[in-house]
Amino acid sequence: MDKSWMHSDRRSKAYEFGVEAFLNFSVENLLTTTHIRCPCVKCVNLKMFGVGIIRDHLYFNGVDQSYKNWTFHGEPWEATTNASRNVEEDDGHSRYSFVSEEIDMDDNDFGDFGSDPYEFANVIGDGDQPVYPGCRKYTKLSALVKLYNLKAKHGMSDVCFTELLILQGDLLPEGNTIPTSMYEAKKTLCALGLSYEKMHACPNDCILYRKEYEDSTNCPSCGISRWKEGKDSILKEGVPAKVVWYFPPIPRFKRMFQSHETAKSLTWHAARKSIDGQMSHPADSPSWKLLDDKWPEFGNEPRNLRLALSSDGFNPHSSLSSRYSC
């Protein structure tokens, strides 16, 4: 498909025809007109909108010209050398195992890493680049992940994080690979992020405005308006009173199973050697065995994850007063 329009003047007919061709291409491939990733220079495929809003963004903000392979919009992934490599190191450890240990993403910075697993592997190729020539301790990706972890942990603003990146770049030797802005960091890390959905909700937690309630303006249960009320008691139409963040689990499961080491841990319960009289895993519990008896089809597949049984007592980020962690 012709993509020369991406480099044309936004006031030109070539750009106008290109935008329409792109939107038609996206709708035909994604079979939706309301949940399409916006490739403008501000959204950089991190946010989803309807066709009309994306058209406006492409005219007002311009298109991200680095988005050459439209994988988010139905174009087949072009495998590269980095993408086709095995994602394991020679020593058997996952090349991106440090990601799961270090990353602590903000709630609204990143989108899905794409439907093709090679896209994630390709981004992890940045892990091969030293953060500066001769550095053996940190790669570009590991350094960026650690810095972003600090941002998330201490609630650092985007402006502050950009200034920190600039300072780091000045402090490190010439030729370093540290990005110089939050925008560049997002583009590097977006493949590490995972998908989420924002859903409007009733302020009283009665319903979510989705499916049959998607176009409703008032809660059918309690009658309260969907929109936020301003200080002048006037409803701000289009501004939701409450938003729920939903993190789909399946993309996260796919990510976990992409790592050889993590996948081995997730299925360890099926390959382990049981020690009589000792509980070494939740699989030794009566609840686990009851689930196997009630749903043998589910239990016979070792890759199935039993979240409720495995996460009992889990203490995320050690933020709770209890030190116990299953």
Side-chain angles (χ1 to χ4, degrees):
M1 187 172 178
D2 180 29
K3 300 176 184 175
S4 58
W5 64 272
M6 298 174 71
H7 306 282
S8 303
D9 191 303
R10 276 180 274 165
R11 296 166 294 183
S12 67
K13 282 291 181 184
Y15 189 85
E16 181 183 341
F17 292 146
V19 168
E20 294 307 317
F22 167 78
L23 292 174
N24 290 335
F25 174 83
S26 301
V27 171
E28 287 173 10
N29 284 280
L30 303 178
L31 302 178
T32 178
T33 58
T34 56
H35 291 80
I36 300 175
R37 292 187 180 276
C38 179
C40 78
V41 294
K42 288 189 177 179
C43 298
V44 289
N45 291 310
L46 300 178
K47 297 180 180 178
M48 288 185 174
F49 300 106
V51 169
I53 294 177
I54 294 175
R55 182 184 287 110
D56 292 342
H57 281 205
L58 291 175
Y59 282 121
F60 288 117
N61 304 328
V63 66
D64 176 15
Q65 296 183 8
S66 66
Y67 183 44
K68 297 175 182 177
N69 194 18
W70 297 345
T71 51
F72 290 116
H73 299 86
E75 191 171 41
W77 174 255
E78 294 176 2
T80 62
T81 304
N82 281 339
S84 60
R85 291 184 304 182
N86 193 318
V87 294
E88 297 170 33
E89 291 281 7
D90 293 337
D91 62 0
H93 294 292
S94 167
R95 290 176 57 201
Y96 50 90
S97 60
F98 71 89
V99 172
S100 60
E101 296 167 5
E102 296 293 343
I103 196 101
D104 189 11
M105 293 290 187
D106 271 2
D107 54 4
N108 62 343
D109 278 342
F110 304 115
D112 196 358
F113 64 90
S115 57
D116 196 309
Y118 287 135
E119 184 174 351
F120 180 57
N122 193 35
V123 171
I124 296 300
D126 280 341
D128 291 335
Q129 301 180 36
V131 70
Y132 60 83
C135 178
R136 294 184 178 182
K137 188 171 183 181
Y138 289 105
T139 63
K140 173 185 177 180
L141 192 56
S142 64
L144 192 51
V145 165
K146 281 186 173 289
L147 287 170
Y148 197 89
N149 190 37
L150 285 176
K151 176 191 185 305
K153 187 176 180 180
H154 299 290
M156 200 182 297
S157 69
D158 288 359
V159 174
C160 180
F161 188 62
T162 295
E163 291 184 5
L164 175 64
L165 291 174
I166 294 171
L167 178 60
Q168 288 280 355
D170 288 339
L171 291 173
L172 293 175
E174 193 173 341
N176 68 78
T177 55
I178 290 289
T180 56
S181 69
M182 181 64 190
Y183 172 75
E184 288 181 41
K186 275 187 179 182
K187 291 197 72 172
T188 302
L189 288 173
C190 67
L192 301 180
L194 291 166
S195 61
Y196 61 87
E197 294 178 40
K198 288 196 290 185
M199 303 176 188
H200 295 184
C202 169
N204 293 329
D205 301 324
C206 301
I207 63 159
L208 293 174
Y209 288 100
R210 59 193 293 267
K211 295 185 176 179
E212 67 269 27
Y213 302 123
E214 188 171 357
D215 299 321
S216 302
T217 55
N218 291 83
C219 175
S221 179
C222 66
I224 288 184
S225 174
R226 174 179 185 168
W227 310 121
K228 188 174 183 179
E229 191 176 293
K231 292 180 180 178
D232 51 4
S233 298
I234 298 176
L235 294 175
K236 299 180 179 180
E237 193 168 338
V239 181
K242 191 169 189 175
V243 176
V244 171
W245 294 74
Y246 172 63
F247 298 90
I250 291 177
R252 286 154 178 78
F253 297 160
K254 288 180 178 178
R255 173 69 60 79
M256 290 160 71
F257 276 107
Q258 278 184 307
S259 163
H260 174 73
E261 289 298 309
T262 307
K264 193 164 68 174
S265 297
L266 291 171
T267 57
W268 180 79
H269 63 88
R272 70 196 176 92
K273 293 181 180 178
S274 180
I275 304 173
D276 291 338
Q278 293 186 22
M279 184 175 179
S280 58
H281 189 274
D284 294 325
S285 68
S287 300
W288 191 290
K289 294 169 183 174
L290 178 63
L291 191 147
D292 283 343
D293 291 337
K294 290 187 72 173
W295 296 284
E297 230 176 274
F298 180 90
N300 288 335
E301 173 52 72
R303 291 173 296 179
N304 285 333
L305 303 179
R306 308 161 194 232
L307 303 184
L309 300 180
S310 302
S311 60
D312 179 33
F314 180 63
N315 189 0
H317 313 300
S318 300
S319 58
L320 307 178
S321 57
S322 170
R323 303 301 299 170
Y324 169 78
S325 172
C326 183

